[in-house]
Amino acid sequence: MEKLAVLVVMGVFGAVLQPPIGEAGFSAGPYWPDITSRQSQTRMAVGLTARTPADGRLGLEFGLRYKQGGIPLTCGLRPRESPGTLAAQRRAPARADSPCPPDTETHQAEDRQHNHDFIDFAVLGQVRYGVGDHLTLRLTAGPTWGIPVKCSRDSLTFGDRQNCSASRVDTDWRFVTGAGVSLAVSSRLSASVDYRFGINLRELGLVTTSTGPIHGIAGSLTGGLSYRFGGEQAVR
């Protein structure tokens, strides 16, 4: 129901405003699901963007991307299995940086890494400033909404992977802000680099429903190419 409501709001937003699109592009780069964690992992994000024409200081950016998320390393108990599994455990590297519960007669301690992948939608506002004829600086801020599409759990102790249900993963609401630079390499084509970080709205208390672990403050560094549909020059 939550997903349907957001899709309806986004559809109404697009139908009412009908913002003109001046350029579209592709971007990719490393994504850090929780930059505040000592055990943060590096994953990837790839996506498509559409921006309003660069003929003013203010603009909008619409984004659709696939991002590989996750939560920091966790510990738990795993039921004891066959002797073959115990042999796999003996071959696994030992970990001493994350204390786990002690073994019992029926269970063994396990280091786990949870991976949660999302399809991310973004509606971001931009402030843009042109430097010369080819360089544009921009500041970006706005909400993003991620639908979970994949869930897995890697056992760093036993060396295997188990799939889990994405329906048990919370949607990923964030307020994203960042900065970027765009360089015009031709009259139509430009290259860009952006760094952004996103604060989970559940941590701020703005979204209160939760059925699972809360993802932390995320960061991303992406590079991309954009194609301009018009002949707009960089904003001054």
Side-chain angles (χ1 to χ4, degrees), residues 4-15 63 121-123 145:
L4 178 61
V6 174
L7 290 175
V8 170
V9 170
M10 294 175 64
V12 172
F13 176 85
F121 299 90
V123 180
W145 175 62

Side-chain angles (χ1 to χ4, degrees), residues 20 22-23 51-61 125-131 135-139 228 231-236:
E23 64 178 31
R51 300 186 182 94
T52 55
D55 55 358
R57 288 286 176 89
L58 301 179
L60 290 174
E61 176 181 301
Q126 288 190 345
V127 178
R128 301 179 287 216
Y129 181 77
V131 180
L135 193 66
T136 301
L137 308 178
R138 56 175 178 255
L139 299 176
R228 287 196 296 274
E232 295 88 354
Q233 300 296 318
V235 180
R236 299 182 182 278

